[in-house]
Amino acid sequence: MKITPGHAAGTAKISYKVTFPEAQAHYADVEMTVSGLKQADLELKMPVWTPGSYLIREFAKNIESLTATADGKAINALKVSKNTWKINTSGVNTVTVKYKVYAFEVSVRTSFVDVSEGFLSTSGIFLYPKNMLDQPSIINITPYKGWSKVSTSLEKVNGDPFTLQSPNYDILYDSPIEVGNQDVFSFDAAGVKYEVAMCGGGNYDKERLKKDMPKIIEAETAVFGENPNKHYTFIVHNRQRGGGGLEHLSSTVLGASRDAYSSERGYNGFLSLVAHEHFHLWNVKRLRPIVLGPFDYENENYTTDLWIAEGFTAYYQNLILRHAGIATPESYLAAMAGDINTVENQPGAKIQPLAEASFDAWIKSYRPNENSYNTGISYYDKGAVIAMLLDLQIINNTNAKQSLDDVMRYMYNTYYKQKKRGYTDAEFKQAFEKFSGQNLDEFYAKYINGLADIDYDKYLGYAGYKITNAFANVNEPTLGIYTRNGNGDNKLVTTVLRGGAGWIDGINVNDEITAINGAPVSDMNTALNGKKIGDKVTVTVIRDGITMDIPVTLLKNNRVNYKIEEVANPDEKQLTVRKKWLKL
């Protein structure tokens, strides 16, 4: 690891004690001891973000009642910035700092404490001493009454699950900790011990998961040629409505709906999430953009390559289910068509290039507003589409001897294992060119850094497929808005589509539609029955408590509904590419 000033080696010994005396009020109490000090002052800092989630979250906002003592006497701990406390340690060998962390935000990236569990998203729990990010630490956990288990990828000290050790802060901040009474089961896959901690109950079938999760792990390990972990932990938070995931070096945190496992859609959706987050243990946690490590925990870490780090992972999450024999070829193609439709139906895809979407993740992706649909594109969705294009091109150009798998394995071996550093944008481009055997300047100019329409038929044609638009012959009018139920039968406008009728004629987000041409609106799907493109309607809305009539000229609904279908009479090479791509 390249040493930066924040990662300079320190000489102090660091330990933490975590207790939950007020779990019912959502607090974790932390006692931090730093000994072996030989400096005039000690600065303690709290990260402002957590790797994998590209948003400044200001975790220090949850800290309160911070005090410091030395030799049994209180010493001053002065807060000198939003996330920094400075302690005078002149003549002091050991300092003990106590503070409380409020933890009541339900997500895979933030800590949550109540009487049922304590989930510690460690970058928002543990302060670190300035210039000592390379320093090891010991964490001792005293569980709340009735709690009996700890689940984490951190190593135990002398086999004690409540005493953990971390070799440095990059590992500590990459190792969430679950404390409670989670249902734990385990299995072996790819030579690695896996533990799954199910929190919050649910109708999951452990035996079925123990068969299907290893299939995913084995298929992903085959992409990279090795599984670099000795053990790996899945922490799954099952809630009434749950979703999302956050990758870590040797673990992941997943959000799931506790009663969704019994449906095939819900179960396969969970497996897709497992495949996505587990694929990250290679792609982004080890094979990663050069700026993402060593981390700067106090500032944004900008990269234009999240379309590779996240978008390619989104591509593989479905492809792996196919290669593992869990998804059928038809369901996989339907999933890819879904990604294409997401991109093509979003007006922002014509405004924001893919590389820019990656760079602006810090200010846009995690801070969507009512106009985000019109101004940006997800590096997940479009990145997955670009991965598909490159995969098909490589398979075609090499006569099915190689695929995107070979690029990923080459980059992993070259930059993570041999060079022991991250990659630059230019280096990944060179790898694509190496395996596709052609210059990709035009491809990058059009699809990565530009806004060109994607030629889907060209790339899908390599495998004997094409896209068809099920809405091609639909000639219906639309207001160009999305709504949800408002007060009574009223409809609340949530999105106004760029260039649509509502956009042009002045319907606003948060307008509450009460009538169209004087008739109450009970169903937006039937509100325009009998109307034609070019017709003028009067939309009655309540805006900020004032009723107004807005004349609107209806425009054509330009939404697409693409499906991936077989071309007539695919030739031998197309079938060979298809066999390689879909592992038929």
Side-chain angles (χ1 to χ4, degrees), residues 208-217 267 271 326:
R208 187 181 184 190
L209 288 171
K210 281 195 265 187
K211 292 178 181 178
D212 286 338
M213 289 176 73
K215 294 178 184 176
I216 293 169
I217 292 161
Y267 181 72
L271 291 183
I326 295 171

Side-chain angles (χ1 to χ4, degrees), residues 104-162:
F104 195 55
E105 183 178 351
V106 176
S107 82
V108 295
R109 63 192 71 85
T110 50
S111 298
F112 179 85
V113 175
D114 69 3
V115 295
S116 65
E117 66 171 325
F119 172 63
L120 306 180
S121 183
T122 44
S123 56
I125 295 291
F126 298 110
L127 295 168
Y128 70 90
K130 181 180 178 180
N131 295 331
M132 296 188 194
L133 284 170
D134 284 343
Q135 202 68 11
S137 59
I138 299 292
I139 303 96
N140 181 267
I141 296 172
T142 301
Y144 184 69
K145 58 185 178 183
W147 295 355
S148 61
K149 298 176 183 177
V150 173
S151 297
T152 182
S153 60
L154 289 172
E155 298 292 344
K156 303 171 186 175
V157 176
N158 297 325
D160 180 2
F162 294 98

Side-chain angles (χ1 to χ4, degrees), residues 457-477:
D457 283 342
K458 171 186 175 181
Y459 294 91
L460 287 168
Y462 293 145
Y465 291 109
K466 63 181 179 179
I467 58 170
T468 58
N469 181 11
F471 291 169
N473 297 318
V474 175
N475 201 32
E476 63 180 21

Side-chain angles (χ1 to χ4, degrees), residues 271-328:
L271 291 183
S272 180
L273 179 61
V274 167
H276 182 104
E277 301 304 335
H278 186 265
F279 194 83
H280 271 313
L281 79 84
W282 294 276
N283 190 33
V284 89
K285 297 314 301 183
R286 290 172 174 85
L287 171 61
R288 60 191 183 186
I290 197 164
V291 301
L292 296 184
F295 293 112
D296 178 349
Y297 293 104
E298 294 192 86
N299 299 285
E300 295 89 344
N301 293 217
Y302 293 105
T303 174
T304 57
D305 291 323
L306 293 181
W307 61 275
I308 298 173
E310 288 290 356
F312 279 33
T313 303
Y315 172 67
Y316 271 101
Q317 75 182 53
N318 292 313
L319 188 66
I320 286 296
L321 294 189
R322 170 64 215 130
H323 286 185
I326 295 171
T328 64

Side-chain angles (χ1 to χ4, degrees), residues 155 191-194 227-232 250:
E155 298 292 344
V192 177
K193 179 81 171 179
Y194 281 82
N227 192 318
N229 287 302
K230 293 181 179 179
H231 55 82
Y232 188 96
S250 303

Side-chain angles (χ1 to χ4, degrees), residues 16-18 28-32 97-99 101 125-126:
Y16 300 90
K17 294 180 181 179
V18 184
D29 286 28
V30 182
E31 180 181 304
M32 176 185 189
V97 176
K98 296 181 180 181
Y99 57 96
V101 181
I125 295 291
F126 298 110

Side-chain angles (χ1 to χ4, degrees), residues 19-35:
T19 58
F20 305 91
E22 294 181 293
Q24 83 289 347
H26 319 298
Y27 280 94
D29 286 28
V30 182
E31 180 181 304
M32 176 185 189
T33 300
V34 185
S35 60

Side-chain angles (χ1 to χ4, degrees), residues 52-298:
S53 182
Y54 306 101
L55 177 67
I56 299 298
R57 296 185 182 275
E58 310 293 18
F59 293 123
K61 68 186 177 184
N62 296 317
I63 289 183
E64 60 185 75
S65 305
L66 187 145
T67 61
T69 59
D71 299 323
K73 298 178 181 179
I75 56 176
N76 189 38
L78 179 66
K79 192 170 188 180
V80 294
S81 76
K82 65 180 182 180
N83 67 319
T84 308
W85 288 260
K86 188 173 184 178
I87 303 170
N88 184 339
T89 55
S90 179
V92 171
N93 177 267
T94 301
V95 170
T96 298
V97 176
K98 296 181 180 181
Y99 57 96
K100 303 173 74 69
V101 181
Y102 182 68
F104 195 55
E105 183 178 351
V106 176
S107 82
V108 295
R109 63 192 71 85
T110 50
S111 298
F112 179 85
V113 175
D114 69 3
V115 295
S116 65
E117 66 171 325
F119 172 63
L120 306 180
S121 183
T122 44
S123 56
I125 295 291
F126 298 110
L127 295 168
Y128 70 90
K130 181 180 178 180
N131 295 331
M132 296 188 194
L133 284 170
D134 284 343
Q135 202 68 11
S137 59
I138 299 292
I139 303 96
N140 181 267
I141 296 172
T142 301
Y144 184 69
K145 58 185 178 183
W147 295 355
S148 61
K149 298 176 183 177
V150 173
S151 297
T152 182
S153 60
L154 289 172
E155 298 292 344
K156 303 171 186 175
V157 176
N158 297 325
D160 180 2
F162 294 98
T163 304
L164 310 167
Q165 60 185 344
S166 175
N168 57 58
Y169 280 91
D170 287 329
I171 298 294
L172 178 59
Y173 292 150
D174 218 2
S175 305
I177 303 169
E178 177 73 27
V179 192
N181 292 310
Q182 55 271 23
D183 180 20
V184 178
F185 64 90
S186 60
F187 55 83
D188 292 334
V192 177
K193 179 81 171 179
Y194 281 82
E195 179 179 286
V196 181
M198 287 289 194
C199 315
N203 60 4
Y204 52 88
D205 181 337
K206 283 190 283 190
E207 296 309 312
R208 187 181 184 190
L209 288 171
K210 281 195 265 187
K211 292 178 181 178
D212 286 338
M213 289 176 73
K215 294 178 184 176
I216 293 169
I217 292 161
E218 297 283 358
E220 292 184 343
T221 301
V223 172
F224 292 93
E226 68 171 17
N227 192 318
N229 287 302
K230 293 181 179 179
H231 55 82
Y232 188 96
T233 302
F234 288 97
I235 299 174
V236 185
H237 289 147
N238 294 302
R239 304 195 183 278
Q240 185 175 10
R241 295 182 188 86
L246 186 62
E247 70 275 4
H248 297 281
L249 193 67
S250 303
S251 64
T252 189
V253 184
L254 309 179
S257 298
R258 64 170 62 95
D259 295 324
Y261 295 93
S262 57
S263 73
E264 283 305 298
R265 180 179 179 182
Y267 181 72
N268 288 332
F270 176 73
L271 291 183
S272 180
L273 179 61
V274 167
H276 182 104
E277 301 304 335
H278 186 265
F279 194 83
H280 271 313
L281 79 84
W282 294 276
N283 190 33
V284 89
K285 297 314 301 183
R286 290 172 174 85
L287 171 61
R288 60 191 183 186
I290 197 164
V291 301
L292 296 184
F295 293 112
D296 178 349
Y297 293 104
E298 294 192 86

